[in-house]
Amino acid sequence: TVLIKPNIGWSLPPERAANTNPNLIKRIVEHCVKAGVKKVFVFDNTASHWEDCYRISGIERAVKEASGLMVPANLEKYYQSIEIKGAKNLKKTKVHELYLEADSIINVPILKNHWAAGLTISMKNLMGVVWDRWFYHGNNLNQCIADFCLIRKPTLNVVDAYNVLMQNGPRGNSVNDVEKKKILIVSADMVAADSAAAKTFGSEPEKIKHIALASQMKIGSMNLEKLNIKRILI
C-alpha cells in the first residue's frame, strides 16, 4: 500500500496554486498502479470543508481516474494517539492511521508562501496527517513542524513548484499571487527537498525556521553543496 499526501487544504481551483496540482497527483497514482501497488490512498486533513476541497481542487477526480482511493480525514476516529521520542514541543499527537500503517508514503506538497511559517513545503505539509493542527500554532509552530518529522519520514518527497503562490499564503487572494516556475523537486530527504525549494522561492533555507531546526535535529541535510543533485532540463 502507498499513501500519497498532497496539500488539499483549500476549496480552490488548480490555477490558484493553493493546493498540489491534480495532474501531478494523477501521474504519481498512475505510476504506483503500474508498478503493482495493491492500494493507493490519498487524503488531507483540510483547512476548509473537506468534500469541497477534494472536489474543487480537482484532486478527487484525478485520483479516481487513475484508480486511486480518496479517503476522508475529517473525523477523530481515523487518528491514533502516539508519543514522539526526542520532540521538544510536540511530544504527543494524534496521527491518521494510514500515515502509520501504509507500506510507503509519497509526500507531495506544493511550494507556497505561508504567513506564519514563511513557506509551506514537505515538512509543513505533514500537518495534514494530524488531528489537532491548531496545537502547532499555539506551541511554537516551527518547532512542532520539525518535531513531527521524528515519527516517520516519507519514502519520497515530490515538491510541486510548477505554479508557486508567492504571496498571501497559504490561500492567496487571486491568480496575481501566482508565479509559473515549472520546477519539480524530488528527494527522499525532506530537509534537502525543502532547502532546494526555499532557494527556488528566493529564500535561504537557514532563514526558514523549521528547516533550520530540522537540520539541527539531524532529520535531514540543509547543506545542498554536499549533496549529489541531479538536474534534469526538459
Side-chain angles (χ1 to χ4, degrees):
T1 59
V2 171
L3 167 63
I4 296 174
K5 171 57 181 73
N7 189 323
I8 327 177
W10 304 98
S11 53
L12 291 169
E15 60 267 23
R16 292 282 297 275
N19 306 303
T20 308
N21 192 287
N23 291 329
L24 175 59
I25 298 301
K26 182 177 182 179
R27 196 65 174 146
I28 295 173
V29 174
E30 288 173 343
H31 279 301
C32 289
V33 172
K34 186 178 180 180
V37 176
K38 291 182 179 179
K39 290 184 179 180
V40 183
F41 300 105
V42 181
F43 79 83
D44 192 13
N45 186 5
T46 62
S48 50
H49 189 268
W50 70 281
E51 290 179 311
D52 289 342
C53 291
Y54 280 20
R55 177 176 53 83
I56 297 172
S57 69
I59 290 178
E60 181 175 48
R61 179 178 178 179
V63 169
K64 290 181 177 179
E65 287 178 351
S67 300
L69 299 169
M70 289 296 300
V71 294
N74 63 313
L75 298 176
E76 193 170 359
K77 69 178 183 179
Y78 301 128
Y79 297 78
Q80 298 179 17
S81 296
I82 61 165
E83 295 184 359
I84 307 176
K85 294 181 180 179
K88 295 180 179 180
N89 287 41
L90 188 69
K91 296 184 177 181
K92 60 181 181 179
T93 190
K94 290 187 175 181
V95 182
H96 197 288
E97 58 193 6
L98 284 176
Y99 190 81
L100 301 173
E101 296 170 2
D103 294 318
S104 295
I105 298 167
I106 304 177
N107 186 23
V108 195
I110 188 165
L111 169 62
K112 60 179 178 175
N113 167 255
H114 191 277
W115 67 273
L119 295 175
T120 289
I121 329 175
S122 305
M123 288 185 285
K124 191 180 178 303
N125 191 47
L126 297 181
M127 284 179 69
V129 306
V130 302
W131 175 246
D132 185 10
R133 60 196 302 152
W134 301 113
F135 177 88
Y136 285 54
H137 290 279
N139 294 274
N140 190 334
L141 172 64
N142 289 290
Q143 185 63 60
C144 288
I145 291 170
D147 283 344
F148 184 84
C149 298
L150 294 169
I151 295 176
R152 180 182 182 183
K153 297 176 183 177
T155 312
L156 191 66
N157 303 278
V158 182
V159 181
D160 176 5
Y162 194 89
N163 292 311
V164 178
L165 185 65
M166 299 298 295
Q167 59 188 8
N168 298 315
R171 192 180 188 277
N173 292 332
S174 72
V175 292
N176 294 327
D177 294 330
V178 179
E179 181 178 322
K180 189 179 295 293
K181 291 185 178 289
K182 297 184 178 181
I183 294 172
L184 286 180
I185 298 167
V186 184
S187 178
D189 182 336
M190 280 187 290
V191 182
D194 286 5
S195 298
K199 283 184 170 292
T200 294
F201 191 88
S203 301
E204 292 302 317
E206 60 269 21
K207 300 293 185 180
I208 307 301
K209 291 182 180 179
H210 59 270
I211 296 178
L213 288 168
S215 179
Q216 293 168 14
M217 295 166 67
K218 309 299 183 184
I219 291 167
S221 176
M222 187 174 67
N223 191 344
L224 299 177
E225 293 180 359
K226 293 185 177 181
L227 302 180
N228 180 20
I229 300 175
K230 184 177 181 180
R231 292 175 171 84
I232 303 170
L233 299 177
I234 299 176

